[in-house]
């Protein structure tokens, strides 16, 4: 019951009480005068009763005033609250209308940005930090590096990126820098320009330095691998970044990409220093279930709907003719598939590479990868990975097992990862960037921990 309702209920009784008091006062005064003449004791008693009545009336008046004050204060507060809420809603509506009619020219929208009010120009700034601890335990290290155990920290990635569009959202750019873990020298990692050939953005042309459209694992951001880093197979059989030109087609259930480029490892070379006459890459991805947004990482929400994707790609290189260096023709292929639903993310791939050097015998190398992650909650994801590398040239076959866990403080933007890698065989081809060192007998154990921030 509100104060106002309580006051209304008490009013009839208060009015009746006031009437009785008003009638009693003159009667009490007359009785007092008569009694004073006839009996002093009775007069004293009546005086006491009169004072008692006056005290009661005063108390009732105070209670009534208190009720009125509380009622009026509550009403005033209600009016103030209603007025404040209305004003806040109006301000929010004005802000939203202003944003639609006069877009913000600076702020944060999945990254800090600067833009013009007309929407013709935009610059978005972001970055990635990965701080890593590595411990490699080997039974027998090679003579060139006799220390069986290696421990230490490094900054695996310290990237800044700049993205946006010029003159029109159809003309986009992306520039990303990184720094070497050994020495800290900064360099350009990516630098490309895109132009949409149609209004809908189905067909896009690209020139510059970019990821070759080959391994899906590599095409996914370095901030979103399942484990601490990409696989050993990616280090050995991937194409990496290239300098060149590419075209992309994005359909409802398929994505196709093709590139002419300077070949594997050409991303940091001048035009006269690459090892090929010409190279090319092509990839096709098919969405059988789900949404394309589910294709961007190796994570699935506990309540995520099913998604199924299949991809295949090829890459070829013709070695530089007339070059004094030992160059080779190269042909590579890969197929992969991924499925995710209700917290599970399953991924598998196969890679093959045929290398035909100018001097020496041709060789074939193969890789097989299977991995799985399960999101127990949106923050906690244990995972496992198996890799197999086979080669017919130097006895460098190796099996690798990985087990670890991801903890997401704020999605991929703030992520902590721990894992253990076991390498059953000798390591002829090391990959120090991901912690794998040369080992003459096998049985290497790798412990890794990483904290990641995206801004």
């Amino acid at each position: 019951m509100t104060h106002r309702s309580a006051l209304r209920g008490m009013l009839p009784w208060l009015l009746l009480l006031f009437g009785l008091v008003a009638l009693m006062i003159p009667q009490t005064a007359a009785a007092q005068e008569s009694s004073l003449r006839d009996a002093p004791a009775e007069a004293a008693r009546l005086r006491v009763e009169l004072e008692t009545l006056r005290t009661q009336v005063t108390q009732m008046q105070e209670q009534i005033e208190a009720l009125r004050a509380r009622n009026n204060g509550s009403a005033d507060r209600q009016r103030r609250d209603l007025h404040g809420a209305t004003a806040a809603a109006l301000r929010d509506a004005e802000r939203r209308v202003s944003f639609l009619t006069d877009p913000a020219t600076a702020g944060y929208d999945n990254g800090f940005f600067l833009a013009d009010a007309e929407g013709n120009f935009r610059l978005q700034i972001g970055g990635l930090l990965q701080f890593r601890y590595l411990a490699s335990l080997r039974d027998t290290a090679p003579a060139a590096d006799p220390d069986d155990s290696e421990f230490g920290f490094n900054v695996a990635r310290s990237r800044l990126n700049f993205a946006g569009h010029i003159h029109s959202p159809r003309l986009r750019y992306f520039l990303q820098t990184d720094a070497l873990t050994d020495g800290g020298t900064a360099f350009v990692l990516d630098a490309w320009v895109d132009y949409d050939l149609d209004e809908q953005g189905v067909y896009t042309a690209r020139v510059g330095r970019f990821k070759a459209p080959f391994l899906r694992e590599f095409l996914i951001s370095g901030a979103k691998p399942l484990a601490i880093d990409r696989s050993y197979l990616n280090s050995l059989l991937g194409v990496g970044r290239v300098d060149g030109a590419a075209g992309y087609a994005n359909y409802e259930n398929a994505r196709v990409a093709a590139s002419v480029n300077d070949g594997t490892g050409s991303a940091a070379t001048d035009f006269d220093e690459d090892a090929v006459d010409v190279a090319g890459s092509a990839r096709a991805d098919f969405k059988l279930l789900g949404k394309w947004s589910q294709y961007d990482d190796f994570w699935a929400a506990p309540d995520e709907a099913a998604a199924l994707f299949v991809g295949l790609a090829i890459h070829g290189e013709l070695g530089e003719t007339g070059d004094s260096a030992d160059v080779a023709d190269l042909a590579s292929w890969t197929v992969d598939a991924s499925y995710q639903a209700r917290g599970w993310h399953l991924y598998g791939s196969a890679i093959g590479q045929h290398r035909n050097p100018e001097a020496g015998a041709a060789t074939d190398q193969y890789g097989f990868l299977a991995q799985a992650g399960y999101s127990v909650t949106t923050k906690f994801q244990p995972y496992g990975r198996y890799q197999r590398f086979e080669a017919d040239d130097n006895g460098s076959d190796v099996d690798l097992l990985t087990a670890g866990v991801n903890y997401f403080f704020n999605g991929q933007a703030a992520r902590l990862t721990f894992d253990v890698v076991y390498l059953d065989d000798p390591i002829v081809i090391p990959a120090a960037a991901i912690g794998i060192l040369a080992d003459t007998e096998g049985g290497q154990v790798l412990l890794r921990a990483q904290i990641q921030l995206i801004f």
Side-chain angles (χ1 to χ4, degrees):
M1 179 181 293
T2 64
H3 296 307
R4 186 181 296 275
S5 299
L7 185 59
R8 285 179 178 175
M10 295 175 62
L11 278 176
W13 298 100
L14 293 172
L15 291 174
L16 178 60
L17 181 60
F18 277 134
L20 292 174
V21 171
L23 291 173
M24 288 174 64
I25 290 175
Q27 292 176 359
T28 303
Q32 182 183 14
E33 292 175 359
S34 174
S35 299
L36 285 173
R37 288 191 301 265
D38 299 333
E42 182 68 16
R45 186 183 64 79
L46 290 175
R47 282 197 298 269
V48 172
E49 290 182 357
L50 180 60
E51 293 300 324
T52 301
L53 287 172
R54 287 175 177 172
T55 301
Q56 292 175 350
V57 170
T58 301
Q59 291 175 348
M60 286 187 292
Q61 288 175 337
E62 291 175 351
Q63 292 175 359
I64 292 170
E65 292 299 324
L67 285 171
R68 287 176 176 172
R70 286 199 296 269
N71 182 66
N72 291 336
S74 177
D76 289 343
R77 285 194 297 272
Q78 291 176 1
R79 285 194 293 271
R80 288 196 299 270
D81 292 344
L82 179 61
H83 177 74
T86 303
L90 288 173
R91 287 194 300 270
D92 183 66
E94 290 174 356
R95 180 184 61 80
R96 294 175 183 272
V97 171
S98 175
F99 179 78
L100 293 174
T101 58
D102 185 17
T105 57
Y108 186 87
D109 180 17
N110 292 323
F112 298 98
F113 72 91
L114 300 171
D116 68 324
E118 290 74 24
N120 294 325
F121 299 89
R122 182 181 177 93
L123 167 64
Q124 187 153 329
I125 304 170
L128 168 65
L129 294 175
Q130 290 180 342
F131 185 65
R132 187 177 295 176
Y133 174 79
L134 301 166
S136 175
L137 309 175
R138 297 174 287 180
D139 289 337
T140 306
D145 182 15
D147 191 353
D148 289 348
S149 302
E150 294 285 355
F151 308 90
F153 295 91
N154 70 10
V155 180
R157 291 178 174 90
S158 54
R159 297 179 177 177
L160 284 175
N161 58 70
F162 307 87
H165 60 260
I166 297 176
H167 180 65
S168 165
R170 293 174 62 179
L171 182 60
R172 298 182 299 277
Y173 62 88
F174 183 75
L175 173 65
Q176 182 166 226
T177 64
D178 202 351
L180 296 174
T181 57
D182 185 8
T185 302
F187 61 94
V188 174
L189 191 66
D190 299 278
W192 48 256
V193 175
D194 274 4
Y195 182 71
D196 290 338
L197 303 177
D198 62 311
E199 292 287 347
Q200 293 73 31
V202 176
Y203 303 102
T204 301
R206 174 177 294 179
V207 294
R209 179 174 300 171
F210 50 85
K211 295 179 179 180
F214 187 61
L215 288 183
R216 184 196 168 201
E217 184 189 4
F218 185 69
L219 293 171
I220 289 177
S221 169
K224 300 179 180 181
L226 176 67
I228 280 181
D229 214 319
R230 299 184 179 104
S231 68
Y232 182 57
L233 301 179
N234 175 77
S235 301
L236 272 56
L237 301 176
V239 177
R241 288 175 167 83
V242 294
D243 291 339
Y248 301 86
N250 300 296
Y251 304 109
E252 182 178 356
N253 295 312
R255 292 178 176 177
V256 181
S259 168
V260 176
N261 53 70
D262 286 343
T264 305
S266 65
T269 61
D270 288 329
F271 80 100
D272 61 336
E273 294 181 354
D274 59 70
V276 303
D277 280 337
V278 65
S281 312
R283 181 175 173 88
D285 295 286
F286 302 95
K287 175 172 66 70
L288 307 181
L289 287 174
K291 302 177 181 179
W292 283 115
S293 59
Q294 296 171 278
Y295 204 47
D296 294 336
D297 57 22
F298 294 114
W299 182 85
D303 59 349
E304 188 157 337
L308 176 62
F309 303 91
V310 175
L312 62 152
I314 57 172
H315 175 79
E317 301 179 4
L318 295 178
E320 187 82 41
T321 56
D323 203 325
S324 58
D326 183 17
V327 297
D329 297 337
L330 187 69
S332 301
W333 57 267
T334 183
V335 294
D336 57 72
S338 62
Y339 174 80
Q340 59 196 76
R342 298 187 178 277
W344 283 100
H345 194 294
L346 310 176
Y347 174 76
S349 67
I351 314 166
Q353 184 181 95
H354 177 77
R355 186 177 184 86
N356 187 15
E358 191 172 291
T363 59
D364 292 293
Q365 296 178 328
Y366 301 95
F368 305 94
L369 181 148
Q371 64 183 33
Y374 177 66
S375 299
V376 180
T377 68
T378 57
K379 293 184 176 295
F380 185 70
Q381 181 197 39
Y383 62 83
R385 173 192 281 170
Y386 168 74
Q387 303 174 67
R388 169 72 179 175
F389 175 71
E390 298 180 356
D392 62 4
D393 57 342
N394 55 10
S396 55
D397 297 357
V398 61
D399 292 283
L400 301 89
L401 291 173
T402 304
V405 61
N406 288 310
Y407 184 81
F408 302 95
F409 296 96
N410 183 24
Q412 301 284 2
R415 165 181 165 182
L416 181 64
T417 305
F418 299 93
D419 68 19
V420 180
V421 183
Y422 177 71
L423 300 92
D424 185 50
D425 304 289
I427 301 300
V428 178
I429 308 174
I434 59 175
I436 298 175
L437 303 180
D439 185 356
T440 59
E441 289 191 6
Q444 181 176 168
V445 176
L446 178 62
L447 307 176
R448 304 186 295 184
Q450 178 174 279
I451 183 70
Q452 168 178 291
L453 295 176
I454 302 174
F455 59 90

